[in-house]
């Protein structure tokens, strides 16, 4: 059932307000009152839509999850290790703009609320596509792909892997191709 357009407009205003508030300070220093005021809604309205700021932050960053999943599945045919899909390059290129917020929700190694959402969604999509193609070990490979991607993304955002957005996209692409090509019994 489609969501009420008023609900989506309010949530969109709250998500945008959170991004604007986090542009100048970390999430832990942002309050519900500041976000609600910037969005032009009351605190009660905020709480009708979100349990707390972390829930709003995860919803705000959920777009990164959808983009990551789509970017990793944007190719068809035989993957070329030398050329990551443009969607993957674009995805990594957009991350630095809100990297501070992503880092607060995505812990090194891929944990945290955003990491869990990324792992869950990426694993489900990867598993479904492998099963549909009749590829071996869909559960195992889907878990490996989701874990590797979430972990590398988090470590890159936290500065544990030094690379430009284009470099990390290429390296991640080759890693994921390797995981898919690994012969399994």
């Amino acid at each position: 059932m489609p969501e009420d357009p008023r609900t989506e407009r309010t949530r969109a205003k709250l998500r945008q307000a959170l991004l604007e508030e986090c542009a100048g300070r970390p999430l832990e220093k942002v309050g519900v009152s500041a976000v609600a005021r910037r969005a032009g809604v009351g605190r009660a309205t905020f709480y009708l839509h979100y349990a707390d700021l972390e829930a709003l932050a995860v919803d705000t960053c959920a777009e990164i999850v959808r983009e990551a999943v789509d970017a990793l599945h944007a190719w068809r045919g035989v993957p070329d290790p030398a050329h990551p899909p443009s969607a993957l390059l674009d995805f990594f290129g957009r991350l630095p703009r809100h990297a501070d917020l992503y880092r607060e929700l995505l812990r090194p190694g891929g944990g945290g609320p955003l990491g869990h959402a990324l792992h869950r969604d990426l694993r489900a999509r990867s598993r479904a596509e492998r099963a549909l193609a009749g590829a071996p070990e869909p559960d195992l490979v889907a878990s490996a792909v989701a874990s590797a991607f979430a972990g590398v993304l988090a470590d890159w955002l936290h500065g544990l892997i030094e690379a430009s957005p284009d470099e990390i996209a290429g390296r991640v692409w080759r890693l994921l191709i390797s995981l898919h090509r690994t012969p399994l019994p």
Side-chain angles (χ1 to χ4, degrees):
M1 189 162 162
E3 192 166 310
D4 181 338
R6 293 171 298 175
T7 299
E8 183 47 40
R9 279 193 303 270
T10 301
R11 287 183 178 169
K13 288 195 296 190
L14 288 166
R15 289 188 300 262
Q16 184 59 41
L18 178 71
L19 290 173
E20 291 169 6
E21 287 293 320
C22 288
R25 56 190 164 162
L27 180 62
E28 66 188 30
K29 303 263 187 207
V30 172
V32 169
S33 295
V35 171
R37 190 171 33 258
R38 187 178 285 267
V41 302
R43 284 177 60 91
T45 299
F46 175 92
Y47 287 112
L48 283 173
H49 296 280
Y50 297 101
D52 54 26
L53 276 175
E54 185 175 282
L56 170 59
V58 170
D59 184 43
T60 301
C61 295
E63 185 62 26
I64 189 180
V65 172
R66 288 186 291 277
E67 287 179 12
V69 171
D70 289 345
L72 290 174
H73 293 91
W75 59 275
R76 292 290 173 248
V78 178
D80 179 358
H83 298 97
S86 61
L88 189 61
L89 292 165
D90 293 344
F91 168 75
F92 277 101
R94 285 190 306 271
L95 288 176
R97 193 172 81 192
H98 298 296
D100 291 338
L101 180 58
Y102 299 144
R103 278 192 290 271
E104 290 190 49
L105 300 169
L106 184 61
R107 311 281 188 270
L114 186 57
H116 295 298
L118 177 59
H119 186 276
R120 179 194 63 235
D121 293 357
L122 184 54
R123 184 186 185 285
R125 176 94 171 257
S126 182
R127 191 209 175 286
E129 289 197 9
R130 283 189 72 80
L132 184 65
E137 298 282 1
D139 291 322
L140 178 67
V141 174
S143 290
V145 164
S147 297
F149 185 80
V152 170
L153 173 62
D155 288 356
W156 178 69
L157 284 169
H158 283 277
L160 300 174
I161 299 172
E162 291 187 30
S164 71
D166 284 356
E167 290 169 339
I168 197 66
R171 291 162 72 183
V172 163
W173 181 240
R174 288 186 297 278
L175 172 65
L176 296 177
I177 289 171
S178 296
L179 285 172
H180 280 282
R181 288 184 177 165
T182 301
L184 300 168

